[in-house]
Amino acid sequence: MALAAACRARSTRGLTVACSLFLAACRAGNAGTGVDLLIPDGVGRRVELVPQTAFAEYVELPELRRELRITLASYSLSCDHYVAPGPDDVLFVLTLTAPAAEPFHPGTYPLESAEMPDAGPTKRAKGFAVARQGGRGFDFPSGGAVELRSVEFTPGGLVSGMLALEFPGDGSRPPAGAHGKFEAHLCRGE
């Protein structure tokens, strides 16, 4: 927290803005069990997602890529079948992809805009995020990253980390983001 003390001691405009962003990120990262979503819905509406359901799915596509999908939902959902969100429900899905020869491990993965996975082999690790609220779907633009803190691919293993997805807006697209901690148990294998 030395940076927070330095922020209070300095008064230059650039440092004040940087410190304000740093302190806001700290508050968002320590906000408890919820994830703070800034939905890219045209106005940048803020929603707190308190997960009732959290699970992870892992797939290896030989010679193409590895995929790790983390699902957080404000309603009851399972690995076995999809349930569409109700009008007030929120569903957030983060998908990380990595080259076939590169296992997932604790570390930072950049967020890119949601798109179809590479047609050929994936060349570098990256992620994309989408959200649904009611009948509407939202793709998160590129910006920020996800930090995986633990990755256990045993049956019932735990995947945990910190979301720091951030897109400030660019005049044609509204701001978007997702901040907060997550923990998701791996779906059991067949």
Side-chain angles (χ1 to χ4, degrees), residues 58-67 98-102 118-123:
Y58 175 67
V59 176
E60 291 182 15
L61 303 170
E63 300 180 27
L64 290 177
R65 69 185 160 274
R66 295 171 189 251
E67 291 186 7
E102 186 179 315
D118 302 329
T122 296
K123 297 188 181 4

Side-chain angles (χ1 to χ4, degrees), residues 8-155:
R8 284 188 223 99
R10 304 280 175 134
S11 61
T12 62
R13 180 169 169 72
L15 187 56
T16 301
V17 171
C19 291
S20 296
L21 292 172
F22 170 77
L23 293 172
C26 287
R27 280 192 297 274
N30 295 326
T33 60
V35 173
D36 181 35
L37 296 178
L38 185 57
I39 301 284
D41 63 353
V43 295
R45 185 171 37 90
R46 207 168 273 293
V47 173
E48 181 166 4
L49 167 58
V50 178
Q52 181 177 339
T53 302
F55 60 82
E57 300 166 282
Y58 175 67
V59 176
E60 291 182 15
L61 303 170
E63 300 180 27
L64 290 177
R65 69 185 160 274
R66 295 171 189 251
E67 291 186 7
L68 175 60
R69 179 172 294 165
I70 298 149
T71 301
L72 307 174
S74 66
Y75 59 101
S76 184
L77 192 60
S78 78
C79 298
D80 300 328
H81 65 280
Y82 175 74
V83 176
D88 297 322
D89 295 328
V90 178
L91 173 68
F92 178 79
V93 179
L94 172 70
T95 302
L96 300 176
T97 62
E102 186 179 315
F104 286 105
H105 52 81
T108 303
Y109 297 83
L111 182 78
E112 298 191 0
S113 60
E115 57 189 40
M116 291 299 292
D118 302 329
T122 296
K123 297 188 181 4
R124 63 186 176 78
K126 60 186 176 182
F128 62 91
V130 296
R132 291 193 62 80
Q133 185 169 35
R136 295 185 65 195
F138 308 98
D139 296 336
F140 284 73
S142 299
V146 59
E147 177 190 354
L148 288 182
R149 294 187 173 169
S150 81
V151 182
E152 297 173 33
F153 289 128
T154 58

